[in-house]
Amino acid sequence: MPSNATDLIDRYCAVWNEPDDARRATLLHAVWAKDATYTDPRADTTSAEELLAHIVRVRAGRPGARIVRTTAVDIHHDIARFGWRVVEADGTELPEGLDIAMLSPDGNRIESIIGFFGPLQPPK
């Protein structure tokens, strides 16, 4: 289990919160593996550039909002999961989401993220 997984995930979350496009790209390239992918209900990206474009769209739709990690980073076999939520500029907290991150074997890069919106639902 890499000791830096929490730091890696926090640096990834900071990418979403960075208002400057150039700085955001630098931050993402520091944590994102070559050919890494990102998938959530609204996006399916296959490059850092596609993810950066997605982040720009999300930020434009929620000016001043930020991503906050809401749980510890749970990790095994180079797979991490963590909860997060969007906090609007006025402080309104949106429902928590969940991300699953596949990490590089050395634990220094994210190879894939699969994101889910909202809390897990009980069985029907």
Side-chain angles (χ1 to χ4, degrees):
M1 170 168 53
S3 61
N4 63 346
T6 297
D7 177 64
L8 178 66
I9 296 303
D10 285 345
R11 291 187 296 130
Y12 164 74
C13 291
V15 170
W16 287 82
N17 296 332
E18 176 55 51
D20 180 78
D21 292 344
R23 176 84 177 122
R24 186 180 318 113
T26 298
L27 292 172
L28 181 62
H29 288 291
V31 299
W32 210 239
K34 184 179 187 293
D35 300 323
T37 62
Y38 172 89
T39 305
D40 73 20
R42 296 184 185 149
D44 188 15
T45 72
T46 59
S47 70
E49 290 68 32
E50 287 180 7
L51 177 54
L52 288 166
H54 174 63
I55 293 170
V56 166
R57 289 188 298 274
V58 170
R59 290 183 54 80
R62 299 195 178 283
R66 66 189 195 288
I67 299 290
V68 177
R69 183 170 54 83
T70 58
T71 68
V73 176
D74 186 22
I75 185 169
H76 67 81
H77 296 92
D78 301 322
I79 303 169
R81 70 175 176 171
F82 61 97
W84 55 269
R85 75 169 17 112
V86 173
V87 179
E88 299 281 11
D90 67 2
T92 301
E93 295 183 349
L94 300 183
E96 188 174 51
L98 171 75
D99 278 6
I100 307 294
M102 282 47 149
L103 307 182
S104 60
D106 65 6
N108 292 324
R109 301 275 178 170
I110 297 169
E111 295 183 342
S112 177
I113 288 211
I114 301 168
F116 292 87
F117 301 158
L120 295 172
Q121 300 298 310
K124 294 182 180 181

